[in-house]
Amino acid sequence: MLQENNRLRASVGLPAQKMSPELTNAAQDHANFMAETGSFSHHSNGGPVGRGARYGYNGSLSENIAMGQPTIESAFSSWRNSGGHWRNITSNSTVAGFGFAISADGSCYWVGMYGY
């Protein structure tokens, strides 16, 4: 996911982001939570800031979530075509973390967290 994220950033002349272990853990936690509960929301499971803090990240952050896209490319394509999600990808954040989970019914859940 980081590779696709940074490919999109490079396409508009932005520097690559580095992987944050803390944000990756928070993103994976939320992907797992959504897949287990079906709660497709930024605000559930402690919210982005709460999840980040739970895993040791205390800076500002933003978050992208997606449900149903079968591939990394399709998840990022949906984010690319959504103003708020695209702003998160192309923000001045320097680190990122990503998560992915599949629910019992086979739905894919994607999370990108961007740290400042």
Side-chain angles (χ1 to χ4, degrees), residues 1-108:
M1 292 181 74
L2 181 66
Q3 182 178 356
E4 181 63 10
N5 181 79
N6 284 335
R7 185 188 70 76
L8 289 172
R9 287 178 60 84
S11 76
V12 294
L14 294 172
Q17 294 168 324
K18 292 184 171 46
M19 184 69 78
S20 163
E22 296 84 3
L23 292 180
T24 297
N25 288 334
Q28 187 61 54
D29 179 273
H30 196 45
N32 291 341
F33 176 85
M34 291 190 297
E36 291 168 8
T37 66
S39 175
F40 183 68
S41 170
H42 293 285
H43 306 291
S44 61
N45 191 25
V49 172
R51 288 190 303 278
R54 187 183 313 153
Y55 289 96
Y57 188 85
N58 294 306
S60 298
L61 55 88
S62 59
E63 178 179 73
N64 288 353
I65 60 174
M67 179 184 73
Q69 295 83 348
T71 65
I72 292 170
E73 293 79 14
S74 61
F76 274 90
S77 178
S78 70
W79 291 339
R80 171 66 182 95
N81 293 308
S82 167
H85 294 101
W86 181 240
R87 277 190 298 277
N88 289 341
I89 292 169
T90 58
S91 69
N92 64 351
S93 59
T94 58
V95 294
F98 300 95
F100 168 74
I102 301 174
S103 68
D105 72 1
S107 295
C108 296

